[in-house]
Each structure stands twice: as C-alpha cells, then as structure tokens.
Amino acid sequence: MSKPIMGYVADPWCQEVPEVPQGLRPFAMEAGDELAGMRREVGGPSLPLRGAALEACSRLEILADGLGLEGFFSRPEAIVCPTASGSERVAYAGHLNGGGVDHWCVGGDLDHAFETAPEVITLLVGAGSLRGRRRPVARTVNSTIPLESLASGRFLATMSDPVESIRFEPGGAQLGTQDAGWLLARSVAKLVRCLPGDGPAVRIVFRVPAEEYWLPLLPALYQNLASPELCTPWFEETRRDRRRLRKSFTDTLKEMLGEHLHRVQVVPFDALHDVGNLLEADVAQGKKPSALGLSGALSQTDPLWEFVLRHLDGPARLVRAADVVNLLAYGRDGLAIVVDEANAACRMIGLAERFARLQPGAAARMVAIGPLGKILGGTPGPSGPFVRFRGNTSRMVVLDPEDSSKGDCLPTDRLFRELYFVR
C-alpha cells in the first residue's frame, strides 16, 4: 500500500464519517493479560464486552476449521461496535490478510452448520450492505420524499399530489456503494482462495437491491397516487443499476480470484426476482398489484414460499420472506453463507433459523459473515479512517479537519484497490 493512503488510514484525527455513523472504540489491553492484543471500549474492562470479544474470536476459528481454510490465520483481537441503542454490541474478530488485518463478525448455529464437511457452499453476497447505501426518492409537483415513505398508509393519507417521477438520490452514497462492493468482493475472494483444493464447490449469488425498490409503490398504486405507467421506467432504471453494480463486483472479484476463478459459479438471481417477475407482469397489463396478491401468487409457485409467507406479516414481509427462502433453499443443498453488513446478515440468519426449526427434520445449514469496512466504519478510528469526504465515482477529497478549504484528492479506484485488493 502506498505511503499517502497508509498515512490517511493511520491518522489519529480521522474519527467520523457522516454518511454511516458508528461507534467503534478500539483499545489495546494491558500486556500480560490473557486477552492481550484484543480491543475493547475505552473506560475499563467490561465483562459483557470481554465475553463478546472472546465469542467473536471463537466463532471465527470454528468457521476456519469447519471450512478447512488453508493459510487463514486468526489473531487474538476483536473490535466491538455498540449499536445505536447501546444495549447490544457487534464484535468483529481479526484475521491476517496479506500484510493487513481484516475483521469479520460470524453468526449462525455453527455446530449445526459444520456437523459434516459441506460439498457445496452458496455465498449470498450483498443486499443489506447495498440497500442502506441507495436512497431512492419520489417526486410530486411540490415535494421530494423518500421512496420508502410511500409504504406507509399514514403518510399516504397526507398526500394530495400524485408521484410524477422516481430516481436515486445523488451524493455521497456513491462512495458508500463502491466501498461496500469492494469490501464484499475482498471477503469472498479471501474465503475462496483459502478453501482447500479438494474443498467444496462455490456458488455466488450477488444480491443487488432492485425489486425491493418497487414494493413501496404498491400502496400508492392502489390509492391512485402512482400509476402503472410510472412504474415501468423505474423498473428499468433499477435493473440497469443492478446490472452495472453486478458487473463491477464480478469484474473486481474475477481479478482478485485469479487462478481460483474456476472454482466459482455465479448465480444470476435470488428469490426476490420471483416477486419482480410477478409485479412487472401485472404492471405491464395496467393492473394495480397488491402485496397480498403477490403473496398469494408466490405461495402457489413453491411450497417453500407458501410455508414462509404463512408465518410472516407486515409491509416488509416479501423482502424478509425472500431472504428466508434463499437461505433455506441453499442451506438444504449444502451450506448457505450470508456475506453482508453484520447486523443485516445476523438478522437474516436468525429469522431463517427460526423457520428451519418450525419444520421437523429441516436440514438447512447457514452461517453469516459480516466484514468490517476500512473506509466507512472501519479501523483504526471510532468511525473509520476518513473524517470528512467529498466523493464521486472518479475521485475522493479528504478534507483537513482544521481547515475545510484544504484537502488531498485521491482517485477512488486507486484508494479502493490499495485498501481492499486481495493479492
């Protein structure tokens, strides 16, 4: 890694990134302590915190042993991130990756997942990481509103003007999306490259949000605050966006995998694509589909959809059901591993495991890997190495915290390649 970028990563003034606020507080424990090298919150030892760090390191070791990862060396350290409420913490254990250290949070029922060596693993990559980075907005003649607001009946009751257009909101989310894509590609490449030569076959499902950006329109369609004609260009834009992000991820991953590329099969779609096909067909015929109607149609296509939807309700049920259907389907065929933002990955695993227990004899095996980013929410500062930024697709300006009129311009391609590339 070049000295200028290393300088930014190590700079102590780099504390806060406004796009993704986090609460990481690294702290080296005293020498001679049995947990020497582990990191904890400033303010003295905490038994719950110490326990979370130990659990994170133990889980990472079980994952490495269960998959037979070669050349994968864990380190006796962890970074603990309190959630927004402060009542829960996410712990990331460290492992060597070339000359640096990566941190992963590992979730799921590992004893069940690694009862036997898997012959095939399916990596469900993304969705959660990318979902939070994109900010679609709907425009009426007088206002611009977050697209997800349209899913609220209470909000729709206050609307008098129909939606005229929908678009992705420009801005810093571009940098966040790139950061997520590189981080996910790095994590997948590291995992695949460390698998033994006679290890499991690997399928990758790169899950880019598209159809979930369509679902908030359903209540607005029903109340004539959106039209089927409005939906078609929005469907096309989100699918173009998905193709672009998928190509970027796939190209980056191929370069990182190198001679290991032959081990990987990329699966084009996940379960939510079924929802999109039904929704798109209805809109093309000028119909106004409802979430209830889509649920009924999906229940008739597959017993697994019917089983999952029977036990879920609420406005986000189709997205959550698709997550569970993916995990149960692939987890019964081998081992399903979610590689995603840690909170989203653990929520998916927890929900899917509840469904697996509802079915006697269910054999789904599932694991979650939540990698910790190096730019937005990474080490060594409490919130990541870049305090202030103005980023776009070609360059990133890191501002001086003492004088915002000063800063250095870094090409984003070079920045991401030097921070994330697996060699």
Side-chain angles (χ1 to χ4, degrees):
M1 186 179 293
S2 67
K3 290 184 179 179
I5 291 180
M6 279 297 292
Y8 284 117
V9 173
D11 202 312
W13 58 254
C14 297
Q15 299 292 313
E16 185 176 324
V17 175
E19 184 183 359
V20 186
Q22 299 205 17
L24 302 178
R25 298 180 222 167
F27 185 84
M29 300 184 79
E30 294 296 330
D33 192 303
E34 63 178 1
L35 303 180
M38 207 168 273
R39 301 183 182 190
R40 59 176 171 82
E41 285 181 322
V42 174
S46 163
L47 290 179
L49 196 65
R50 186 186 295 255
L54 282 172
E55 175 74 9
C57 291
S58 173
R59 283 181 163 274
L60 184 63
E61 290 181 359
I62 293 172
L63 173 75
D65 290 343
L67 292 174
L69 300 182
E70 299 173 341
F72 185 98
F73 303 106
S74 59
R75 292 188 57 175
E77 71 170 40
I79 290 178
V80 181
C81 175
T83 60
S85 66
S87 60
E88 299 178 3
R89 295 177 173 91
V90 178
Y92 301 81
H95 65 88
L96 292 174
N97 195 347
V101 179
D102 286 353
H103 293 85
W104 286 357
C105 171
V106 179
D109 184 350
L110 303 185
D111 291 338
H112 178 51
F114 296 115
E115 283 178 342
T116 59
E119 295 183 1
V120 59
I121 62 174
T122 303
L123 304 177
L124 300 162
V125 184
S129 294
L130 298 168
R131 190 178 294 143
R133 306 297 194 197
R134 313 294 283 165
R135 299 181 176 90
V137 293
R139 283 183 168 178
T140 70
V141 67
N142 292 312
S143 62
T144 300
I145 56 179
L147 182 64
E148 62 266 24
S149 298
L150 299 180
S152 167
R154 181 177 299 180
F155 180 84
L156 289 180
T158 68
M159 288 184 61
S160 55
D161 301 318
V163 177
E164 294 186 340
S165 65
I166 310 168
R167 62 178 176 84
F168 285 113
E169 186 178 17
Q174 292 178 330
L175 179 66
T177 302
Q178 286 180 290
D179 183 52
W182 275 87
L183 173 63
L184 294 171
R186 176 184 178 92
S187 303
V188 170
K190 172 70 173 184
L191 191 65
V192 172
R193 288 168 67 106
C194 287
L195 288 171
D198 58 350
V202 181
R203 289 181 299 217
I204 297 176
V205 183
F206 186 49
R207 308 176 64 236
V208 182
E211 289 84 4
E212 51 260 64
Y213 295 144
W214 306 356
L215 295 172
L217 286 168
L218 298 186
L221 280 168
Y222 186 76
Q223 298 189 31
N224 294 318
L225 291 169
S227 66
E229 293 74 23
L230 172 73
C231 296
T232 300
W234 176 236
F235 293 174
E236 292 174 351
E237 180 177 349
T238 52
R239 283 193 161 160
R240 281 196 304 270
D241 183 69
R242 175 164 59 190
R243 287 193 295 270
R244 178 179 60 81
L245 292 176
R246 181 183 287 138
K247 183 179 186 305
S248 175
F249 170 84
T250 303
D251 289 348
T252 302
L253 181 62
K254 285 180 179 178
E255 189 178 358
M256 288 187 188
L257 287 176
E259 63 183 18
H260 301 271
L261 181 61
H262 71 280
R263 303 194 60 173
V264 171
Q265 172 196 0
V266 179
V267 181
F269 302 112
D270 68 2
L272 204 56
H273 187 67
D274 299 337
V275 179
N277 284 339
L278 292 170
L279 183 54
E280 198 165 30
D282 282 350
V283 168
Q285 298 175 40
K287 298 179 181 178
K288 297 178 180 179
S290 67
L292 184 61
L294 288 173
S295 297
L298 286 166
S299 295
Q300 296 176 21
T301 63
D302 189 321
L304 190 53
W305 269 108
E306 192 278 331
F307 165 69
V308 173
L309 288 169
R310 192 192 328 144
H311 295 89
L312 282 177
D313 54 18
R317 67 191 301 241
L318 290 172
V319 174
R320 291 185 293 138
D323 291 336
V324 174
V325 168
N326 277 319
L327 282 165
L328 292 183
Y330 288 116
R332 290 170 183 172
D333 188 34
L335 173 65
I337 302 180
V338 180
V339 185
D340 209 334
E341 184 273 325
N343 286 306
C346 290
R347 281 196 301 269
M348 290 179 207
I349 287 287
L351 184 60
E353 287 179 341
R354 279 170 42 202
F355 274 88
R357 288 191 292 270
L358 290 174
Q359 287 189 309
R365 302 161 63 187
M366 300 167 279
V367 175
I369 295 176
L372 182 63
K374 297 179 180 295
I375 295 179
L376 302 180
T379 56
S383 300
F386 297 96
V387 116
R388 301 178 184 177
F389 64 84
R390 293 174 183 162
N392 58 32
T393 56
S394 62
R395 72 184 191 280
M396 175 171 148
V397 177
V398 183
L399 302 179
D400 187 319
E402 303 297 331
D403 184 354
S404 61
S405 67
K406 299 179 180 178
D408 285 337
C409 180
L410 301 174
T412 52
D413 285 346
R414 173 178 153 226
L415 175 71
F416 289 121
R417 178 171 292 275
E418 296 202 26
L419 288 178
Y420 286 122
F421 197 80
V422 177
R423 295 171 176 83

